Amino acid sequence: MKEHVVEVRTTISESDAPMSAETLMLLDEARRIAHKAYAPYSRFRVGAAALLDNGEVVSGSNQENAAYPSGLCAERVTVFYANAHYPDAKIMRLMIYAETDNGPVERPITPCGACRQVLLEKESVQGSPIRVSLAGADSIYNVGSVSQLVPLSFVPKSLEG
Ligand code: THU
């Protein structure tokens, strides 16, 4: 039997104070939009803010539903909004912020598998990396591309056989 070992390296660069103007702007926006999340069931509010290559910043929050699986995460709301309004724009960077009723999460959250898949599609189609920034209590954790978060991925090219 053959064994194939696939290693995916994820490099996380931590940026703490002083944060750049861009980082602070995206963090502010992700936080602002998280406060508006519709999350009556989990009480876990998430905000995502995307910086586009046309200079626009778009953002979104998680949207829950009494039929639980019908809800959507903040990251997908944001990517789909960006695609709907600016279909030709690339996403340069995505900031993700989360909070509970006790305030901001101590440890940053990472996008769920379904959101990684949607982000990966965007990254594949636009042909340039999306930097993913995860907001922690005192610092930001940056991953250079979505591909670093998805090993053995299924991408548009996979459909070519
Ligand atoms: N959620 C997000 O919006 N983004 C994530 O990265 C993880 C989870 C939402 C989904 C649900 O509304 C709530 O957080 C609890 O899972």
Side-chain angles (χ1 to χ4, degrees):
M1 200 219 293
K2 276 191 202 165
E3 195 174 73
H4 302 271
V5 178
V6 178
E7 287 184 18
V8 175
R9 183 180 291 263
T10 308
T11 305
I12 302 170
S13 43
E14 184 178 354
S15 53
D16 42 23
M19 290 180 194
S20 71
E22 180 188 289
T23 300
L24 285 172
M25 177 271 292
L26 289 174
L27 181 57
D28 275 359
E29 179 56 19
R31 198 185 286 135
R32 185 188 73 82
I33 208 80
H35 294 336
K36 297 184 178 188
Y38 179 65
Y41 306 106
S42 70
R43 313 277 321 153
F44 190 76
R45 290 173 295 278
V46 184
L51 175 63
L52 310 185
D53 68 344
N54 61 10
E56 295 284 341
V57 174
V58 298
S59 58
S61 60
N62 52 328
Q63 301 295 318
E64 298 185 346
N65 194 279
Y68 290 2
S70 301
L72 204 61
C73 297
E75 295 90 327
R76 270 175 289 165
V77 169
T78 303
V79 173
F80 292 153
Y81 182 95
N83 284 344
H85 286 266
Y86 306 101
D88 300 324
K90 298 180 179 184
I91 297 180
M92 316 290 287
R93 191 174 175 193
L94 184 75
M95 176 71 69
I96 301 166
Y97 165 91
E99 65 181 25
T100 66
D101 289 342
N102 298 323
V105 294
E106 188 81 12
R107 272 177 297 147
I109 62 156
T110 55
C112 77
C115 288
R116 290 181 199 205
Q117 184 67 29
V118 166
L119 284 161
L120 188 69
E121 176 101 2
K122 180 69 179 171
E123 188 172 88
S124 306
V125 169
Q126 72 180 28
S128 60
I130 298 173
R131 188 173 177 215
V132 181
S133 298
L134 314 168
D138 304 311
S139 55
I140 306 291
Y141 297 84
N142 302 288
V143 178
S145 70
V146 178
S147 60
Q148 291 185 46
L149 297 174
V150 192
L152 297 175
S153 57
F154 186 83
V155 288
K157 211 172 168 19
S158 311
L159 291 170
E160 292 168 17

